[in-house]
Amino acid sequence: MPETVDIVVVGSVNLDQVIEVPALPAPGETVLGGPVTRLGGGKGANQAVAAARLGAGVALVGAVGRDPDSDWLRTELAAEGVDVSRLAALDGPPGHAVVLVDRRAENSIVVSPGANAQLTPAAVAAAGPLLGAATVVLAQLEIPPAAVLEAARHARGTFVLNPAPAPAPASGLPPELWPLVDVLVPNRSELARLRGVPDAAVADPAAVARLTAGLPCARVVVTLGGDGVLVREEGAVTVLPAPVVRAVDTTGAGDTFCGALAVALAERRTLTEAARFAVRAAALSVGHTGARTGMPTRAALDRATAPDHACEGADAGAP
């Protein structure tokens, strides 16, 4: 196992079961869908894969079960170049997610946490030296908040928090966590929950900018779907447009963005430069069904962002 890596991701590992449907069901409605596709998922694992495909050295701290599904998940991550030596094997099943994807590439997701809910601060602390040596530590909220806090305490580089799923409001997280967060990366709806406002209150970038000013973190990157990305740093706000692409499935676009942002920050880019790099990677990721299928390699991203490359189609593919 490596003694140092560029990025340590602390987060969830799930087995995704993806079903394509004509339209997402309304409450009480039953819809018929296509075949079930089994894929590796979980925000932690997805973000680790996204970063590894873009050329970073990545380790994942998390938990799976002791069953064949867990063995498959571990093997798949290792094949992507992710160090899984800190992935604990616990009694019970791994996390599972059911992902419904409609014809507009919108999705609805239900997650059963499984082993992710059992990740303890002690298990995270066992990876303390690796966390302390990493340039970037990236975490989400599909694992217990106490485990996230432990990761932040051990991080000596840049600590990035993707608050997904978001508590409502921000005070739902341990108060001692916020001073340790260097960069916060919510999407629109997560920002709304953190600020305790309805989703309608974050409909336009100007409203998003106002709401980020009240967060307990000075450096914030908000993903805005087709509107691109908003970056707040040292009081200045920048909105970066999303490339125009033909979206097939937006599942995993946010995870691609977070993994790519971590890569760019590990390369010592500014926050705005890192967000620009990440939104391009996220736009490429939506061209295929599944959270990881469309995640670009570094070579694919370089080709897509070459000066003579033009994106065509409809629907912006940022998270």
Side-chain angles (χ1 to χ4, degrees), residues 171-291:
S171 58
L173 289 175
E176 58 268 43
L177 175 62
W178 286 111
L180 302 176
V181 177
D182 296 305
V183 181
L184 184 73
V185 190
N187 64 19
R188 265 195 175 104
S189 61
E190 290 153 4
L191 174 64
R193 284 192 286 275
L194 288 171
R195 293 306 316 275
V197 300
D199 284 357
V202 292
D204 65 271
V208 170
R210 290 192 296 271
L211 289 169
T212 58
L215 290 169
C217 183
R219 305 172 75 202
V220 184
V221 180
V222 185
T223 57
L224 303 174
D227 291 328
V229 179
L230 182 143
V231 180
R232 173 179 284 277
E233 184 174 23
E234 298 179 354
V237 173
T238 304
V239 177
L240 305 172
V244 178
V245 296
R246 185 172 291 107
V248 174
D249 180 6
T250 58
T251 308
D255 292 334
T256 302
F257 182 92
C258 289
L261 186 79
V263 170
L265 291 174
E267 294 173 353
R268 311 294 185 181
R269 303 192 192 199
T270 68
L271 187 59
T272 300
E273 290 170 344
R276 184 175 288 110
F277 176 86
V279 77
R280 290 169 178 164
L284 284 184
S285 74
V286 302
H288 303 271
T289 299

Side-chain angles (χ1 to χ4, degrees), residues 9-317:
V9 180
V10 183
S12 56
V13 182
N14 291 335
L15 177 62
D16 286 357
Q17 300 182 79
V18 182
I19 305 174
E20 295 186 2
V21 294
L24 299 178
E29 181 185 13
T30 298
V31 299
L32 294 178
V36 177
T37 303
R38 289 162 53 93
L39 300 167
K43 289 187 177 297
N46 290 345
Q47 292 174 17
V49 169
R53 286 192 186 175
L54 291 170
V58 183
L60 176 61
V61 177
V64 292
R66 301 181 188 275
D67 59 355
D69 285 341
S70 297
D71 294 341
W72 181 80
L73 289 167
R74 187 188 296 273
T75 299
E76 185 192 42
L77 286 165
E80 291 280 1
V82 176
D83 171 19
V84 294
S85 62
R86 279 82 173 179
L87 198 57
L90 307 178
D91 291 335
H96 282 76
V98 177
V99 183
L100 304 181
V101 182
D102 70 13
R103 288 173 178 167
R104 298 177 301 164
E106 295 296 331
N107 61 66
S108 181
I109 304 172
V110 177
V111 175
S112 175
N116 297 310
Q118 301 178 55
L119 183 64
T120 64
V124 176
L130 189 70
L131 289 161
T135 307
V136 176
V137 174
L138 171 60
Q140 324 76 31
L141 298 178
E142 286 185 337
I143 57 175
V148 175
L149 177 59
E150 191 68 20
R153 284 173 170 162
H154 284 276
R156 295 295 176 266
T158 300
F159 181 72
V160 180
L161 177 63
N162 171 218
S171 58
L173 289 175
E176 58 268 43
L177 175 62
W178 286 111
L180 302 176
V181 177
D182 296 305
V183 181
L184 184 73
V185 190
N187 64 19
R188 265 195 175 104
S189 61
E190 290 153 4
L191 174 64
R193 284 192 286 275
L194 288 171
R195 293 306 316 275
V197 300
D199 284 357
V202 292
D204 65 271
V208 170
R210 290 192 296 271
L211 289 169
T212 58
L215 290 169
C217 183
R219 305 172 75 202
V220 184
V221 180
V222 185
T223 57
L224 303 174
D227 291 328
V229 179
L230 182 143
V231 180
R232 173 179 284 277
E233 184 174 23
E234 298 179 354
V237 173
T238 304
V239 177
L240 305 172
V244 178
V245 296
R246 185 172 291 107
V248 174
D249 180 6
T250 58
T251 308
D255 292 334
T256 302
F257 182 92
C258 289
L261 186 79
V263 170
L265 291 174
E267 294 173 353
R268 311 294 185 181
R269 303 192 192 199
T270 68
L271 187 59
T272 300
E273 290 170 344
R276 184 175 288 110
F277 176 86
V279 77
R280 290 169 178 164
L284 284 184
S285 74
V286 302
H288 303 271
T289 299
R292 298 184 197 161
T293 312
M295 287 179 174
T297 63
R298 190 57 170 262
L301 183 57
D302 288 345
R303 287 194 302 271
T305 55
D308 59 348
H309 178 84
C311 291
E312 299 178 352
D315 297 331

